[in-house]
Amino acid sequence: MYGLIEHTDEINRLLARYGVKFGIYKNNVFNERLFPFDTVPRIISKDEFEYLERGLKQRVKALNIFLKDIYTKKQIIKDKIIPEEFIYGAAGYMMECEGAVPPKDVFAHISGIDLVQGNDMRWYVLEDNLRVPSGASYPMIARELCRRASPDTFRANTVVDNRNYGDLLRNALDYVNTGGINVVLTPGRFNSAFFEHSYLAEKTGSVFAMPQDLFVEGNVLYYNEYSGKRKRVGAVYRRINDDFMDPMTFRADSLLGVPHIMDAYRAGNVALVNAPGNSVADDKGIYYYVPAMIKYYLGEEPILSNAPTYLPFYADDMKYVLDNIQKLVVKDVAESGGYGVVFGSELSLERVYELKKMIQKEPRRFIAQEVIQFNDLKVVENGAWTERKADLRAFVLMGEEPVVWKSGLTRFSKDANSFVVNSSQGGGFKDTWVLSR
Amino acid sequence: MAVLDFSYNMSIKFSMPVIKHCYTLRIIPIECENQHIEDIKVTVFPENELTYSADGFGNILVTDRIVTMHNEFTVDVTGTVTTGEHISAEADLNPVYKYPTHFTKCGAELDRMFDRIRIGISDNAVDTALKFTRAIRANIVYKTGSTSVVTTAEEALLNGAGVCQDYSHILLALLRKAEIPCRYVVGMMVGEGETHAWVEVYHQGNWYGVDPTNNRLADENYIIISRGRDFADCGINRGLLTGGGTQTQTVSLKVTKR
């Protein structure tokens, strides 16, 4: 694999040319930034990946059942596994989705589960992304370029081919398709993952559509062809957030949405991938309950652990959080993408005091976690070896059964001391190799 | 029991032609305990492929997408409804009705009002709602045009005046603060020339209609059109259009008892 290092600049140049970029909004200004690629892969052994695979499938299965339960019977609340206020007191639950059961009962078609490996070599789940998880295209295209740059590397190593992501995604779309074409719906080229949208449309053989190409009539979704002919749409891999998806149901000021698409979905005439309303499972407060959810719905012991998490909502946890805040990381449950994350150790005494007061005022709004001692990964920076914190976003695709993509997006932090690896916070990425033996 | 005939008409005139127009109407009375639709006729102009659906609250939606150019949009709904007491059983309460929303969140003014009237809270949620209603009427006066579609409960209370929507939002805010589940209702009332709004309160497995604007319980003179957490869930006409210029809307409603 060291044969790849000398190609670092060349591969990064090609990635830039292909348009592997990340868009960031900062102070209302949109900037496109290259997503630096480090050629040294993260390597996961066959056995280790099989373990992750079992754990991830189990987790996504439980989350999918949870979503159906929350929007229909709400048994998990009635049985007091999850306190009601964690569902209804949060922004994640969407009444607009109440009673809506998607085709084949699949809510979480594509899940991006973020994991980290501690220096004890144990894996911990940090976050579940069940709304519109992005990033699969980066390792896909990086792998392709690496293969071209150094074919020998891949002859010498038994790396599982990751070029099947498009097929897995296509299967997930076909499985729920209600009769019609598959469409990848992008809000447009100013979205931070526009490159990925077009790339995945190509890889899945789907029609690449902008909102104005789609319309609903008689609760059926159609694609307007250039010739003016309409085609029925059976599944939409939509890369638009719920809030903006349908101005007739959600934000009325959305210009990115398709009017009445929610009515077509509720009528069972189209699959929306992922299902609207999944935000209730993404919620950082709900994350705390996922292990309990696995026991409750599947009757199994959770295979993967959460990072040790405290909910100030509970008196004991509140006391622990207030007493130990300087060694914990505190997260605002309403935020995502690495925003609203503070490390107690980095705060001035004054800010610690402010944060404690905020937690006491709105206990439901925060979770606190032990800082995991990451197993740092080696990266090459300006020709020299150094180490960075890194996470792994694993992708789980749901057809009749969940399938874990044998690769993933490994993101590393911008600075050696930073723990925040989200692409929107700077930093780079690596390929993830899963070995076949 | 009563038999009510109603006739609703809405017309919007546009100063400039509209070329694309999507709309969602919540204007058809629902079927529920003690309220049955005997006859209903819906006429919308222009129409393309009028479609009926339901939302997450069980309200009836009439939707369409008009692609032909038009200068006017009219909705006519006439029908006959048998009505009765406004009590409907629901064993499986959706907890969503316990939590404040954008329109029903308490600010400092509602918090202060709540502290003054919390003594009126009893085991009977309907009584509590009526007590709160009297307090609301002591704090705001009915004044047409004093608030708008974006006014929250807190703002209406500070304003000291409002319409049925505001009376209902304030009552919902106070009841939710008292941890009593409640919901917003849009409907029609005998003798009223416009649609009306009131509140339903959940008590021991049943929803009861309470009308804070008129300081009374809803009865057979009321027809329920839609229900939700607040005003935003019950929009009568939600539209998205291209063109149109300025719009002039007129609404007429007639509800008579046989």
Side-chain angles (χ1 to χ4, degrees):
Chain A
M1 68 185 205
Y2 300 116
L4 283 168
I5 298 171
E6 59 186 278
H7 299 288
T8 302
D9 290 346
E10 183 191 336
I11 294 171
N12 270 288
R13 244 190 332 270
L14 283 168
L15 284 167
R17 234 173 80 189
Y18 272 87
V20 178
K21 287 177 190 168
F22 208 90
I24 299 176
Y25 276 100
K26 203 168 185 181
N27 305 325
N28 285 323
V29 179
F30 179 79
N31 282 306
E32 267 193 338
R33 200 177 57 73
L34 295 175
F35 198 20
F37 175 66
D38 181 67
T39 50
V40 183
R42 176 203 280 278
I43 300 176
I44 303 174
S45 73
K46 182 172 187 277
D47 289 350
E48 195 170 12
F49 197 80
E50 277 172 2
Y51 156 78
L52 287 175
E53 218 175 353
R54 281 195 305 279
L56 289 163
K57 284 182 184 176
Q58 179 194 51
R59 194 168 175 103
V60 170
K61 255 190 199 170
L63 284 164
N64 199 69
I65 301 173
F66 166 72
L67 283 163
K68 186 180 175 190
D69 187 22
I70 283 303
Y71 287 113
T72 56
K73 292 180 184 154
K74 307 171 184 20
Q75 205 56 46
I76 198 162
I77 301 173
K78 289 173 194 157
D79 290 339
K80 303 206 181 324
I81 308 293
I82 299 179
E84 181 188 293
E85 40 274 76
F86 277 82
I87 307 290
Y88 302 99
Y93 169 81
M94 297 172 86
M95 188 60 202
E96 293 84 354
C97 303
E98 181 64 28
V101 178
K104 306 257 172 80
D105 286 5
V106 180
F107 283 81
H109 310 79
I110 303 136
S111 307
I113 310 292
D114 293 346
L115 303 132
V116 292
Q117 194 171 27
N119 57 10
D120 56 358
M121 301 314 272
R122 276 190 66 178
W123 289 92
Y124 298 93
V125 176
L126 275 193
E127 234 173 67
D128 303 292
N129 297 282
L130 272 65
R131 281 178 286 181
V132 189
S134 61
S137 64
Y138 302 120
M140 284 167 84
I141 193 157
R143 177 79 62 90
E144 214 163 293
L145 294 176
C146 288
R147 279 180 176 278
R148 258 187 259 163
S150 172
D152 288 350
T153 301
F154 292 87
R155 269 195 283 276
N157 291 285
T158 49
V159 186
V160 180
D161 196 347
N162 77 349
R163 285 174 294 188
N164 66 340
Y165 185 80
D167 297 334
L168 296 179
L169 182 54
R170 194 201 168 115
N171 287 342
L173 294 174
D174 287 345
Y175 179 66
V176 294
N177 189 302
T178 58
I181 57 169
N182 291 331
V183 161
V184 173
L185 174 62
T186 180
R189 71 176 192 88
F190 289 113
N191 185 276
S192 65
F194 181 72
F195 153 75
E196 173 163 298
H197 305 164
S198 61
Y199 185 73
L200 292 177
E202 183 195 318
K203 293 290 168 193
T204 54
S206 304
V207 170
F208 190 44
M210 305 264 183
Q212 61 269 27
D213 301 328
L214 300 174
F215 67 94
V216 173
E217 222 168 74
N219 278 352
V220 174
L221 181 69
Y222 296 98
Y223 171 75
N224 226 342
E225 280 196 322
Y226 192 64
S227 63
K229 232 174 73 187
R230 58 168 67 175
K231 264 190 172 162
R232 191 183 163 143
V233 180
V236 184
Y237 179 30
R238 46 95 181 196
R239 299 293 301 250
I240 296 179
N241 289 337
D242 290 356
D243 274 358
F244 292 96
M245 202 174 50
D246 182 352
M248 304 305 291
T249 299
F250 302 109
R251 282 180 63 156
D253 59 347
S254 170
L255 300 173
L256 310 173
V258 180
H260 298 306
I261 198 171
M262 270 303 282
D263 300 328
Y265 165 72
R266 288 192 70 96
N269 291 338
V270 69
L272 297 179
V273 175
N274 287 348
N278 280 9
S279 40
V280 69
D282 264 31
D283 188 289
K284 292 184 176 70
I286 295 302
Y287 158 88
Y288 176 88
Y289 294 100
V290 176
M293 221 182 262
I294 291 169
K295 285 183 205 157
Y296 177 75
Y297 290 123
L298 306 176
E300 297 170 9
E301 281 303 311
I303 297 166
L304 291 169
S305 314
N306 274 4
T309 305
Y310 308 94
L311 288 189
F313 173 79
Y314 294 114
D316 287 357
D317 283 15
M318 174 70 94
K319 187 175 182 314
Y320 182 86
V321 171
L322 295 179
D323 290 348
N324 296 282
I325 199 156
Q326 269 150 313
K327 68 171 186 123
L328 299 172
V329 48
V330 178
K331 296 179 177 176
D332 186 330
V333 297
E335 301 274 359
S336 73
Y339 298 95
V341 176
V342 288
F343 289 81
S345 58
E346 291 171 4
L347 297 179
S348 65
L349 280 176
E350 205 176 316
R351 288 276 294 118
V352 166
Y353 175 75
E354 280 170 24
L355 183 61
K356 281 185 179 180
K357 266 180 66 179
M358 272 166 80
I359 296 170
Q360 282 170 301
K361 191 167 171 248
E362 289 180 89
R364 167 64 187 89
R365 202 180 129 186
F366 299 95
I367 64 167
Q369 289 174 327
E370 299 287 353
V371 176
I372 291 176
Q373 296 308 314
F374 282 54
N375 175 39
D376 291 353
L377 294 186
K378 287 199 163 68
V379 301
V380 177
E381 197 180 60
N382 303 322
W385 288 100
T386 174
E387 291 195 333
R388 285 288 186 276
K389 314 284 175 213
D391 77 346
L392 168 66
R393 172 168 289 183
F395 290 88
V396 185
L397 293 111
M398 188 74 97
E400 201 158 356
E401 284 294 319
V403 180
V404 183
W405 181 39
K406 289 196 167 57
S407 185
L409 174 65
T410 293
R411 298 176 297 184
F412 59 87
S413 56
K414 191 176 169 191
D415 309 305
N417 298 319
S418 172
F419 282 84
V420 181
V421 296
N422 299 70
S423 332
S424 37
Q425 302 289 324
F429 77 107
K430 283 170 170 293
D431 191 2
T432 307
W433 288 6
V434 175
L435 300 183
S436 61
R437 57 182 149 88
Chain B
M1 260 219 349
V3 180
L4 307 184
D5 294 308
F6 73 91
S7 163
Y8 172 90
N9 168 272
M10 179 184 63
S11 148
I12 301 174
K13 288 199 166 64
F14 303 102
S15 66
M16 306 271 282
V18 175
I19 47 171
K20 240 192 240 170
H21 186 177
C22 291
Y23 60 81
T24 295
L25 305 168
R26 282 178 183 80
I27 192 56
I28 299 185
I30 53 167
E31 266 292 315
C32 62
E33 203 176 328
N34 303 328
Q35 176 171 302
H36 305 287
I37 315 302
E38 306 300 336
D39 187 34
I40 187 106
K41 188 164 176 281
V42 181
T43 318
V44 185
F45 175 83
E47 110 166 52
N48 174 30
E49 194 176 338
L50 214 57
T51 306
Y52 294 85
S53 332
D55 65 14
F57 302 93
N59 301 319
I60 301 165
L61 312 183
V62 183
T63 60
D64 206 351
R65 169 180 178 269
I66 311 164
V67 280
T68 53
M69 202 185 274
H70 55 286
N71 291 300
E72 195 181 358
F73 176 60
T74 59
V75 179
D76 284 286
V77 187
T78 56
T80 305
V81 182
T82 54
T83 55
E85 276 188 303
H86 279 247
I87 304 172
S88 51
E90 187 172 311
D92 214 1
L93 172 74
N94 187 329
V96 80
Y97 297 113
K98 294 185 197 171
Y99 294 87
T101 61
H102 168 71
F103 282 109
T104 63
K105 206 162 60 190
C106 291
E109 195 65 20
L110 272 161
D111 279 343
R112 270 195 293 277
M113 179 173 176
F114 181 78
D115 285 337
R116 288 198 304 272
I117 63 170
R118 66 191 310 161
I119 190 140
I121 300 170
S122 72
D123 290 344
N124 187 321
V126 182
D127 279 349
T128 306
L130 289 170
K131 281 205 184 99
F132 283 4
T133 292
R134 285 192 281 278
I136 293 167
R137 294 165 62 84
N139 280 275
I140 66 168
V141 292
Y142 190 94
K143 200 172 154 200
T144 311
S146 57
T147 53
S148 76
V149 290
V150 296
T151 308
T152 64
E154 176 78 6
E155 288 161 357
L157 181 59
L158 279 167
N159 187 30
V163 296
C164 55
Q165 171 195 322
D166 307 298
Y167 279 78
S168 300
H169 279 161
I170 296 173
L171 180 56
L172 291 170
L174 295 168
L175 287 170
R176 286 178 184 155
K177 182 108 184 156
E179 295 178 7
I180 297 169
C182 50
R183 62 188 177 191
Y184 187 86
V185 185
V186 165
M188 302 179 268
M189 204 182 151
V190 173
E192 282 279 328
E194 280 179 29
T195 53
H196 189 44
W198 63 93
V199 167
E200 283 186 344
V201 185
Y202 193 71
H203 177 61
Q204 293 181 346
N206 289 293
W207 288 102
Y208 294 85
V210 176
D211 178 357
T213 313
N214 295 306
N215 190 21
R216 57 187 276 199
L217 294 173
D219 61 16
E220 59 185 27
N221 295 311
Y222 290 68
I223 300 171
I224 299 167
I225 295 173
S226 62
R227 303 192 275 218
R229 289 163 298 187
D230 60 27
F231 167 77
D233 292 331
C234 300
I236 292 174
N237 172 25
R238 186 156 170 177
L240 188 73
L241 44 84
T242 309
T246 53
Q247 307 178 14
T248 319
Q249 181 179 308
T250 48
V251 174
S252 71
L253 174 68
K254 207 172 163 192
V255 188
T256 50
K257 206 167 175 173
R258 277 193 194 167

